[in-house]
Amino acid sequence: MPNKISKDLWQQIFNQYALAIADANIVNVSNTAKQTLVKVAEKLFRDPDFAVLGADQKARILRGQYKKYSRYQAERLVRTESNRSANHATMQSALTVFDENELMKTWVHNSRNNVREWHQDFEPKTIPYEEYYFLQGDRMFQPGDGGAKNIINCRCTIVIHPKDSGVDTEQYNDDFDEQRTKAENNNIPSVQRYYESEYNKGVDIIAETGNIPYQDIFDYGTTKTMYKELISEIAVFFAIWYADNIEKYLKNG
């Protein structure tokens, strides 16, 4: 079945979803980055050899430290949100392809990248579309829809399919994983650049004054914009991907 929803319309649909996710998580994302700034700076300033260096030397060392954290934090954010967004998007896209009353969903555990035993061992994996999974105290509509213990770096996949059709979950998961990795690789560099840019603002002030500019970096507005755009872009991509590809994974009867 062809996808009847345009990219522009999906963008409008997922803008509100992305904004809601960003609003719910932005304080934690921003504060985590700021706490990293403080932790690294305070540790270095306790080093007497660092304290006597000139501003340029201090800045060079600080930038090297924050570049490492920028990569790590960008990868964790993108990988966590790509899974949440991709699974949510396929859930929504399925409603444009099939009748909701005819739909089931199957949770597929990605054993190559996910070590959460409770994501692998629970039953039943396949339930009606509108029902919830209950894992470790979380009420989850799909993978990525829960608390930190269930979503950070989770690679599980939800497959939406009609009740009267089987589904090749292994092939779907392999292809979904490949597309998710591509989406992540496309977004990690820009998110990393954002982290580096914000940290470098702090470095300039720290190196010159010795003061830690906690309030001057990773402000909620600019961080939320970055976060929202990341979620929306990945969701739009997967909504279109699901509608264009789901039929080839279905098996009659």
Side-chain angles (χ1 to χ4, degrees), residues 44-221:
L44 284 172
F45 274 102
R46 287 195 296 269
D47 182 344
D49 292 332
F50 177 83
V52 299
L53 295 176
D56 290 344
Q57 292 171 300
K58 288 177 179 175
R60 177 177 55 79
I61 293 171
L62 284 164
R63 286 193 173 92
Q65 290 285 317
Y66 291 126
K67 187 171 185 177
K68 176 182 67 176
Y69 281 101
S70 293
R71 179 69 184 184
Y72 166 75
Q73 290 174 330
E75 288 179 349
R76 186 174 69 171
L77 179 64
V78 171
R79 287 175 178 155
T80 298
E81 293 306 333
S82 68
N83 201 51
R84 186 206 308 260
S85 302
N87 282 306
H88 173 80
T90 60
M91 293 281 290
Q92 300 308 304
S93 185
L95 301 180
T96 73
V97 180
F98 306 108
D99 182 342
E100 180 177 354
N101 295 322
E102 299 176 352
L103 289 179
M104 304 293 286
K105 58 188 177 186
T106 299
W107 182 302
V108 183
H109 177 260
N110 191 333
S111 59
R112 291 168 298 180
N113 297 290
N114 188 319
V115 296
R116 294 173 173 89
E117 292 182 359
W118 64 91
H119 282 194
Q120 181 177 17
D121 297 336
F122 77 93
E123 294 290 347
K125 295 288 196 308
T126 300
I127 61 176
Y129 178 94
E130 70 279 3
E131 293 186 5
Y132 287 83
Y133 296 99
F134 293 88
L135 298 173
Q136 294 286 301
D138 277 345
R139 182 172 179 261
M140 302 174 67
F141 203 49
Q142 80 273 323
D145 179 28
K149 65 181 177 295
N150 273 313
I151 70 171
I152 299 297
N153 287 329
C154 175
R155 311 301 282 174
C156 293
T157 303
I158 202 74
V159 188
I160 314 302
H161 54 94
K163 293 177 182 177
D164 59 356
S165 295
V167 60
D168 186 345
T169 55
E170 183 176 351
Q171 188 61 54
Y172 181 95
N173 186 56
D174 285 347
D175 293 349
F176 183 95
D177 193 49
E178 179 182 356
Q179 296 302 320
R180 179 176 50 201
T181 299
K182 288 180 181 177
E184 290 166 350
N185 289 340
N186 286 338
N187 282 276
I188 286 173
S190 62
V191 176
Q192 182 179 3
R193 286 194 296 271
Y194 172 75
Y195 272 95
E196 288 183 3
S197 174
E198 291 300 303
Y199 279 131
N200 286 339
K201 288 180 187 177
V203 166
D204 291 339
I205 297 173
I206 293 170
E208 288 290 340
T209 68
N211 296 319
I212 300 174
Y214 189 86
Q215 300 299 328
D216 297 330
I217 62 166
F218 294 100
D219 69 90
Y220 297 155

Side-chain angles (χ1 to χ4, degrees), residues 22 25-31 33-34 37 194-195 197-199 201 213-227:
N25 294 284
I26 195 59
V27 170
N28 184 56
V29 171
S30 183
N31 285 351
K34 291 180 179 183
L37 176 87
Y194 172 75
Y195 272 95
S197 174
E198 291 300 303
Y199 279 131
K201 288 180 187 177
Y214 189 86
Q215 300 299 328
D216 297 330
I217 62 166
F218 294 100
D219 69 90
Y220 297 155
T222 56
T223 306
K224 184 166 75 173
T225 297
M226 176 275 294
Y227 195 9

